[in-house]
Amino acid sequence: MTLIEVKNLKKSYGSIHAVRGISFSVERGEVVGFLGPNGAGKSTTMKLIAGHLRADHGAAIVAGFDVSAHPIEAKTHLGYSPEGAPAYSEMTVREFLRFAADLRNLPNPSERVKKTLELCRLNEVAHQTVDTLSKGYRMRLGFAQAVIHDPEVLILDEPTDGLDPNQKFEVRRILKEMASRKAVIVSTHILEEIDELCTRVIVIAHGEVRCDESKEKFLQRGADLNEVFRKLTA
């Protein structure tokens, strides 16, 4: 089942063409590694899919709903964790997740918060305020708010950036547990995550798709993935 459809998306900021006609689709059960150098258009594309930006042209469809025409319906099926996801610093972790559950009008919000704290291994910091959390726990909290409603689609922008090896393992573990039931796009510049986590790879540069293929085919391009990446994005 196709849960994400991106059709000829374009987005410009004045004279800067950030996204130049990107198209792809993602099926349930796929974890797509979204790769590209800084300024390639990764975050802009993810914001367009998540409905945080409006496209100049084209469409993003989530679980059958056009994000521009039916934003509430689309976002019901979507979990989005932007890079450096903001949170209210004076709230505790538990309060912030309850706030996220209430915003989404979830039934049994206390139970959803409890399950999400357990899923994301946040129980030990549940009573800490956000401003006292380490970077790793803040990143995990951003991920937690994205999955609290158990969405069919996950859009994750650099979810393991800056995490130590144990924290990266935890985030990957959670995603692997969920992957068969969801369509996931993970933006990353950590090439090892392709083999660890992804089923498919999309590489973009200068706002255009340079590569869209299975993980296995991508890994066959060469033993030195950094060199493969440089050639694709040059």
Side-chain angles (χ1 to χ4, degrees):
M1 179 182 178
T2 301
L3 290 177
I4 303 171
E5 292 183 81
V6 174
K7 299 180 177 181
N8 198 26
L9 279 184
K10 296 180 182 179
K11 180 66 178 179
S12 296
Y13 302 101
S15 62
I16 299 172
H17 301 289
V19 177
R20 302 168 182 257
I22 286 179
S23 298
F24 61 86
S25 61
V26 185
E27 306 290 316
R28 188 188 303 278
E30 286 192 298
V31 179
V32 176
F34 203 46
L35 311 180
N38 290 336
K42 301 190 302 299
S43 292
T44 297
T45 301
M46 298 176 96
K47 288 176 182 176
L48 291 169
I49 298 171
H52 282 231
L53 290 175
R54 181 175 290 273
D56 298 331
H57 181 81
I61 299 169
V62 172
F65 296 99
D66 186 300
V67 172
S68 293
H70 304 284
I72 294 175
E73 293 87 346
K75 290 175 184 179
T76 299
H77 297 273
L78 173 73
Y80 174 50
S81 180
E83 186 178 8
Y88 293 102
S89 59
E90 72 279 5
M91 287 184 175
T92 66
V93 168
R94 187 184 299 278
E95 287 170 344
F96 179 70
L97 290 178
R98 176 57 188 259
F99 175 66
D102 288 342
L103 279 179
R104 290 187 173 276
N105 198 29
L106 299 181
N108 303 315
S110 296
E111 185 63 23
R112 291 304 311 161
V113 169
K114 179 182 176 182
K115 288 182 177 179
T116 305
L117 288 169
E118 292 172 355
L119 173 69
C120 298
R121 303 283 178 90
L122 287 168
N123 274 317
E124 64 185 75
V125 296
H127 297 292
Q128 284 185 224
T129 55
V130 172
D131 62 354
T132 66
L133 297 177
S134 67
K135 180 177 181 180
Y137 275 118
R138 284 184 186 230
M139 294 287 288
R140 209 182 299 182
L141 179 59
F143 178 78
Q145 63 79 27
V147 301
I148 193 167
H149 56 304
D150 193 23
E152 292 183 286
V153 173
L154 279 175
I155 307 292
L156 308 173
D157 198 352
E158 305 283 2
T160 62
D161 184 41
L163 303 189
D164 66 36
N166 290 335
Q167 293 164 337
K168 288 179 183 178
F169 176 83
E170 284 298 319
V171 172
R172 291 169 184 166
R173 176 190 64 79
I174 296 166
L175 281 174
K176 287 175 182 177
E177 289 177 0
M178 295 178 168
S180 64
R181 300 179 287 110
K182 303 184 186 301
V184 184
I185 298 177
V186 181
S187 169
T188 182
H189 62 267
I190 304 170
L191 295 180
E192 70 185 53
E193 290 195 334
I194 296 170
D195 196 24
E196 289 281 338
L197 185 61
C198 300
T199 62
R200 182 169 147 216
V201 179
I202 295 176
V203 179
I204 72 169
H206 304 292
E208 299 173 335
V209 173
R210 297 290 178 86
C211 166
D212 182 354
E213 59 196 23
S214 69
K215 173 185 74 175
E216 290 76 17
K217 189 172 181 180
F218 183 80
L219 293 177
Q220 289 171 4
R221 285 176 174 266
D224 186 346
L225 290 183
N226 288 297
E227 182 62 24
V228 171
F229 179 80
R230 281 192 292 271
K231 287 180 179 179
L232 285 169
T233 60

